Amino acid sequence: MREVIAFFFFFFNLIIPSTAGDSITLAVPLKDGQTLVSSNETFELGFFSLGNSTKRYVGIWYHKIPTQTFVWVANRDKPIVKDRGGVLRINSDGNLVIIDGGGNVVWSSKIGTNSTDSIAQIRDDGNFVLTDNTGMLAWQSFDHPTDTILPGMKFGWDFRTGLNRSMISWKSPNDPSSGDYLYYLDTHGLPQFMMRRRSDSVLTYRSGPWNGLGLSGVPQMKIYNMFHYEFVQDQTEVLLNRL
Ligand SMILES: *[C@@H]1O[C@H](CO)[C@@H](O)[C@H](O)[C@H]1NC(C)=O
Ligand SMILES: *[C@@H]1O[C@H](CO)[C@@H](O)[C@H](O)[C@H]1NC(C)=O
Ligand SMILES: *[C@@H]1O[C@H](CO)[C@@H](O)[C@H](O)[C@H]1NC(C)=O
Ligand SMILES: *[C@@H]1O[C@H](CO)[C@@H](O)[C@H](O)[C@H]1NC(C)=O
């Protein structure tokens, strides 16, 4: 009987990736090989590699879509290479950091806080949120898009915080590092969304300015209401809310 149980647990460990709930704290980091899953199991966060690459990234993908479909990558331009000893943790200075097996910080949330009882949680909307010991939002992945805007995200510029949310394409389907296409809000003159090739700065798309009803270059936006966006322009921000 004992052998049967031991075998069962051995087998179970092989097929079920180790999960660690939906959050990390200073005392409980996330090691390479473990993942966090949001409470209703929509999103999963952890280390991943693509194709034959030995590069390790921390990202968020849909938990239930069999083909890993990523919505966010933290260290896209600073992977951990040939090293499965990476850890995502809350540092003693309250920052969310990714540390390689040698103890080097490869990515940080770069916020000023000394909160040691912060908690970082993957939420059901796909947002990875760091809150400090007072429950205040300290940092969120939604403010740092990779190449995907999910419902609930804002895309554009917040004057007060200086957050300027833009997107950069992946280099290729097997390489999440910053690729050649930048999509951003241009605030010179009337605000409008633009896409530029980063290698030669050539403008490849522009939405046309907001005319109060829609973006003038994207008439289907208001006709079909296909994109569930809301444009906001006031004293504090100019951006699209993805609803
Ligand atoms: C992985 O490497 C093998 C052998 O070198 C190659 O045939 C295969 O196409 C590679 N797969 C990917 C996804 O790069
Ligand atoms: C955190 O603590 C360090 C060392 O005491 C201090 O220099 C720094 O200003 C503190 N940062 C914040 C945001 O409180
Ligand atoms: C999970 O939560 C999100 C956000 O609240 C919601 O949009 C989604 O429908 C939920 N999914 C399931 C499977 O319950
Ligand atoms: C926001 O970022 C874009 C793309 O990098 C840049 O062109 C634009 O000037 C920035 N806007 C502000 C207000 O800093």
Side-chain angles (χ1 to χ4, degrees):
M1 187 62 187
R2 190 176 293 158
E3 285 85 334
V4 172
I5 292 170
F7 177 77
F8 178 77
F9 279 108
F10 173 72
F11 197 67
F12 204 69
N13 277 332
L14 280 185
I15 53 173
I16 308 286
S18 167
T19 67
D22 68 354
S23 46
I24 61 170
T25 58
L26 187 81
V28 186
L30 184 84
K31 296 183 192 134
D32 189 338
Q34 301 175 311
T35 61
L36 302 178
V37 176
S38 74
S39 81
N40 81 4
E41 303 194 330
T42 302
F43 290 98
E44 183 165 358
L45 180 151
F47 288 80
F48 68 92
S49 292
L50 290 161
N52 294 334
S53 171
T54 61
K55 295 177 178 165
R56 302 296 285 166
Y57 300 92
V58 170
I60 299 172
W61 60 90
Y62 290 96
H63 176 61
K64 285 183 177 155
I65 299 183
T67 310
Q68 246 181 342
T69 305
F70 298 92
V71 297
W72 185 74
V73 182
N75 56 325
R76 69 189 305 191
D77 292 311
K78 210 130 182 261
I80 296 178
V81 185
K82 290 188 184 152
D83 170 1
R84 294 262 175 157
V87 178
L88 171 69
R89 65 177 314 137
I90 293 173
N91 243 1
S92 54
D93 66 0
N95 268 295
L96 200 53
V97 292
I98 300 170
I99 293 173
D100 68 16
N104 308 298
V105 174
V106 300
W107 177 90
S108 165
S109 55
K110 294 199 197 118
I111 47 156
T113 159
N114 281 328
S115 174
T116 51
D117 42 10
S118 301
I119 179 163
Q121 182 190 40
I122 178 70
R123 302 229 167 126
D124 286 331
D125 56 3
N127 197 4
F128 189 43
V129 175
L130 179 70
T131 46
D132 70 13
N133 49 9
T134 66
M136 284 269 294
L137 178 74
W139 180 92
Q140 57 180 345
S141 61
F142 270 19
D143 282 334
H144 305 275
T146 304
D147 72 339
T148 305
I149 299 293
L150 291 169
M153 288 176 82
K154 292 166 183 286
F155 183 61
W157 188 31
D158 183 325
F159 310 135
R160 288 169 304 179
T161 58
L163 276 172
N164 182 15
R165 309 173 194 88
S166 58
M167 290 189 272
I168 295 177
S169 60
W170 281 31
K171 194 160 255 171
S172 74
N174 267 330
D175 182 355
S177 65
S178 294
D180 208 14
Y181 288 91
L182 165 71
Y183 192 53
Y184 67 103
L185 180 71
D186 184 280
T187 47
H188 300 105
L190 289 171
Q192 60 176 314
F193 294 91
M194 292 188 172
M195 181 135 48
R196 262 183 211 283
R197 219 157 45 206
R198 296 164 72 222
S199 48
D200 56 11
S201 272
V202 165
L203 185 67
T204 57
Y205 170 84
R206 62 192 184 88
S207 65
W210 182 255
N211 60 18
L213 287 172
L215 294 160
S216 56
V218 197
Q220 63 275 29
M221 194 165 161
K222 64 171 193 273
I223 296 171
Y224 303 112
N225 193 22
M226 59 199 293
F227 303 114
H228 305 288
Y229 288 112
E230 162 191 82
F231 193 78
V232 179
Q233 186 175 10
D234 59 24
Q235 300 91 311
T236 60
E237 51 189 17
V238 44
L239 47 77
L240 278 188
N241 276 329
R242 170 90 203 267
L243 302 175

